[in-house]
Amino acid sequence: MKFAVPLALSLLTSSVMATSLDIYDASRERNIPITVDFPVQKDLCTTNNKCKVAFVSAGYKVPYLKYQLMVQNLNEMGYLTVAVDHELPNDPPLSKKGDLYQTRIENWKRGAETLDFLQSNISLSYPEYNFQNILLVGHSNGGDISAWLASENKSYISKIITLDHRRVALPKTAKIQVLSIRATEYPTVASALLTEKEQSKYHSCIVEIENSKHMDLTDYGSEKVMNKVRLITKGFLSGESCTKLKQQA
């Protein structure tokens, strides 16, 4: 279905625990499919006690609803989650030739614009949630999109979790807490990650799960790896040290 933002979101009711719809960005003539899942204890979320918000971005060619391991985990921790479909049928395919950092910038910028648009256009329809303190979560190319937006100095981004993103540099600032969960299947561009010194300086963390595959960080993964992802994510959002998070891997 296609609605202007205020109309589409006005149709939601507090009794609905998950809602899928298209949000229309008129400036780009772009429909943005999203699915909103509410916290398990959503009754605790009020305009005076706003609950947390997370945007979840899928990897390229991975269905955007195949991250329930993250969505359910975040819902249990009190987050409203907004799963975003970044790849529309008319979008150009993700480049696989040449300097992939340069040739994929168009895709990352488009995804970052989508997340920024959602932050500024749907918050009024969810007054019980804090859209000025957002967690970005992204797998693979969705992680690159999230890291790209995080580099744009948006004041509403407080944390970012990437799941085996591979090219865009993670933010190097104490204003944004970073967790990057790594699989061991494919190499990652070194400049995309943080050194041990940088992790300590910025209170961020890189955690590698031994013998894990790239797709293990989705709902297609092994139960063993997905359980580790849940534990590491929960620990990070609960304020555990990087040393302890690495022990969970």
Side-chain angles (χ1 to χ4, degrees), residues 32-93:
I32 305 169
I34 66 171
T35 293
V36 179
D37 285 88
F38 292 86
V40 172
Q41 294 183 297
K42 62 174 297 188
D43 291 343
L44 299 179
C45 306
T46 68
T47 55
N48 292 323
N49 181 37
K50 296 189 177 187
C51 290
K52 297 166 284 190
V53 176
F55 286 170
V56 181
S57 297
Y60 186 65
K61 295 297 185 182
V62 182
Y64 82 106
L65 296 179
K66 289 299 183 179
Y67 293 90
Q68 292 303 301
L69 81 160
M70 290 298 295
V71 167
Q72 292 175 7
N73 202 27
L74 292 170
N75 294 158
E76 290 171 2
M77 295 189 71
Y79 280 83
L80 174 85
T81 56
V82 182
V84 184
D85 188 355
H86 288 284
E87 310 302 334
L88 304 185
N90 293 330
D91 289 341

Side-chain angles (χ1 to χ4, degrees), residues 139-154:
H139 170 241
S140 192
N141 193 62
D144 285 322
I145 288 170
S146 299
W148 189 276
L149 179 62
S151 72
E152 294 185 344
N153 197 30
K154 301 292 184 179

Side-chain angles (χ1 to χ4, degrees), residues 135 158-161 170-180 194-207 232 235-246:
L135 162 68
S158 62
K159 297 180 178 69
I160 177 174
I161 299 175
L170 292 167
K172 298 177 181 180
T173 171
K175 295 179 180 179
I176 300 176
Q177 287 184 277
V178 174
L179 169 66
S180 188
L194 300 173
T195 66
E196 290 286 345
K197 184 176 180 179
E198 288 169 338
Q199 291 175 59
S200 178
K201 180 179 180 180
Y202 300 120
H203 306 290
S204 297
C205 196
I206 310 295
V207 180
I232 294 166
F236 170 70
L237 295 175
S238 299
E240 292 181 358
S241 68
C242 189
T243 299
K244 189 169 183 179
L245 297 181
K246 291 180 179 181

Side-chain angles (χ1 to χ4, degrees), residues 36 81 89 96 116-118 124 137 142 151-153 160 171 208 227 233 237-238:
V36 179
T81 56
K96 295 183 179 180
D116 193 50
F117 172 82
L118 290 172
L124 291 178
V137 179
S151 72
E152 294 185 344
N153 197 30
I160 177 174
E208 185 176 270
N227 281 334
T233 299
L237 295 175
S238 299

